[in-house]
């Protein structure tokens, strides 16, 4: 029973769901917005009344790493006991396809921001770009963007920036790039495939590549194609599949992808604080 309401079969099934699955996040909404929509859908299908903010206690659900509003792709979702497994997702590897634009810089490092600089780029060849990529592969230092979900005194940097408060850049921090390759070069656009570890910002990578080439660059588009074992092609459920039965099926299928439960104690000490908060 939930708050004196006798629940039906589909509600029983919903509340027994447990594990990790993946959904497709389209361009536009925030990751939290996608999660709220998913939650509303499931509760509505189960016929569970949600009065105001009580709904958060009703269904345990969370995601394994923010994708920017302007980005699309795989968003890993934990439901029931699966919410405890999300921390490993944050730290694990991710794959992205990013389209960069040479010759322009923006304050947010992506297409949503104001243009802050324009520079010529005609001198850059495909070879120049490929050579520069080697510098950004392996264990590198990266300064996270000012407009980001990282926090200062409990508030997101992006919130402080939008209020017009002065925000100091976070110090560079170590990040890992497993692989980085140039897929396409049609100046001013270039397409990268990148596989990286936790806390990595693809926006910063694109911006840094521009500087390294003595011009500037900003990210036009970003798609997360893989997070941990979850791929966009195989595992991401599109909105029309956000039903209790489809998710149950997906959870069954996805359990086989996951390693045995690691001890959570060990994980917590490895990723103190901030690393766990942010992923592009």
């Amino acid at each position: 029973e939930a708050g004196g309401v006798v629940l039906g079969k589909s509600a029983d099934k919903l509340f027994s769901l447990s594990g990790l699955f993946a959904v497709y996040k389209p361009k536009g909404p925030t990751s939290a917005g996608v999660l709220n929509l998913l939650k509303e859908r499931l509760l509505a299908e189960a016929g569970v009344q949600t009065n105001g903010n009580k709904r958060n206690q009703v269904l345990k659900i969370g995601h394994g790493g923010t994708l920017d509003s302007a980005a699309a792709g795989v968003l890993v979702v934990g439901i029931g006991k699966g919410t405890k497994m999300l921390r490993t997702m944050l730290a694990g590897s991710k794959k992205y396809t990013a389209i960069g634009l040479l010759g322009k810089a923006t304050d947010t490092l992506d297409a949503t921001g104001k243009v802050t600089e324009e520079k010529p780029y005609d001198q850059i060849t495909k070879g120049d770009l490929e050579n520069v990529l080697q510098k950004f592969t392996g264990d590198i230092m990266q300064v996270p963007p000012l407009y980001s979900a990282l926090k200062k005194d409990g508030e997101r940097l992006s919130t402080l920036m939008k209020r017009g408060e002065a925000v100091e850049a976070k110090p560079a921090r170590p990040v890992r790039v497993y692989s980085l390759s140039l897929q396409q070069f049609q100046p001013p656009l270039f397409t990268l495939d990148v596989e990286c570890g936790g806390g990595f910002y693809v926006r910063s990578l694109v911006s840094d590549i521009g500087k390294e080439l003595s011009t500037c660059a900003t990210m036009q588009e970003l798609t997360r194609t893989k997070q941990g074992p979850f791929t966009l092609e195989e595992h991401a459920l599109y909105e029309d599949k956000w039903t209790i039965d489809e998710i149950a099926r997906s959870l069954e299928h996805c359990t086989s992808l996951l390693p045995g439960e690691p001890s959570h104690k060990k994980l917590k000490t490895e990723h103190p604080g901030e690393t766990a908060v942010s992923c592009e």
Side-chain angles (χ1 to χ4, degrees):
E1 291 198 10
V5 186
V6 178
L7 299 175
K9 244 200 196 108
S10 54
D12 280 346
K13 185 163 183 182
L14 173 60
F15 292 117
S16 67
L17 295 179
S18 187
L20 294 180
F21 63 101
V23 297
Y24 173 77
K25 178 202 163 310
K27 261 186 188 175
T30 62
S31 296
V34 168
L35 213 63
N36 284 334
L37 182 63
L38 173 67
K39 209 171 183 177
E40 272 166 35
R41 278 285 165 83
L42 295 174
L43 290 169
E45 187 193 339
V48 178
Q49 293 299 309
T50 57
N51 38 1
N53 53 12
K54 277 220 185 110
R55 72 161 171 233
N56 294 339
Q57 300 143 27
V58 173
L59 186 62
K60 268 185 95 172
I61 201 165
H63 68 71
T66 306
L67 260 181
D68 288 343
S69 312
V74 176
L75 188 67
V76 175
V77 177
I79 191 164
K81 290 201 178 82
T83 50
K84 291 195 173 72
M85 298 155 81
L86 290 170
R87 199 177 255 283
T88 35
M89 285 296 124
L90 287 165
S93 85
K94 301 155 190 67
K95 278 187 183 169
Y96 296 92
T97 299
I99 300 176
L101 173 76
L102 290 168
K104 275 188 182 165
T106 64
D107 55 0
T108 57
L109 311 187
D110 68 14
T112 64
K114 292 187 195 71
V115 176
T116 53
E117 198 181 7
E118 300 202 39
K119 280 184 166 180
Y121 58 85
D122 336 352
Q123 70 286 5
I124 293 162
T125 66
K126 188 178 182 188
D128 294 337
L129 239 171
E130 286 175 330
N131 289 339
V132 146
L133 296 187
Q134 291 163 11
K135 291 190 178 174
F136 294 99
T137 307
D139 289 317
I140 61 168
M141 296 299 284
Q142 185 186 66
V143 177
L146 285 176
Y147 279 90
S148 72
L150 296 184
K151 294 185 176 175
K152 178 194 170 197
D153 305 328
E155 279 205 272
R156 287 185 171 216
L157 295 187
S158 49
T159 312
L160 297 171
M161 293 284 290
K162 283 171 192 157
R163 273 215 302 266
E165 292 188 26
V167 173
E168 255 175 71
K170 291 263 178 186
R173 52 193 199 166
V175 289
R176 181 167 288 181
V177 179
Y178 297 101
S179 67
L180 179 58
S181 58
L182 181 65
Q183 294 306 313
Q184 248 187 325
F185 183 54
Q186 293 174 302
L189 298 175
F190 60 97
T191 304
L192 301 173
D193 272 351
V194 57
E195 183 171 5
C196 54
F200 184 85
Y201 280 92
V202 184
R203 284 183 281 154
S204 294
L205 170 72
V206 170
S207 168
D208 292 344
I209 286 171
K211 288 178 193 152
E212 196 65 42
L213 291 165
S214 306
T215 178
C216 48
T218 191
M219 194 172 74
Q220 286 298 99
E221 272 189 43
L222 182 69
T223 307
R224 181 153 66 195
T225 55
K226 189 169 192 263
Q227 184 176 7
F230 299 93
T231 67
L232 186 53
E233 292 82 46
E234 265 188 275
H235 308 109
L237 297 178
Y238 285 76
E239 219 184 301
D240 59 329
K241 295 253 166 74
W242 291 0
T243 65
I244 296 168
D245 285 346
E246 286 288 352
I247 288 168
R249 203 168 304 150
S250 191
L251 285 168
E252 230 166 273
H253 174 55
C254 293
T255 312
S256 59
L257 301 170
L258 301 166
E261 281 268 277
S263 87
H264 292 301
K265 276 200 188 85
K266 195 172 111 241
L267 283 167
K268 281 196 176 122
T269 51
E270 273 174 35
H271 305 285
E274 214 161 61
T275 0
V277 181
S278 105
C279 309
E280 189 76 342

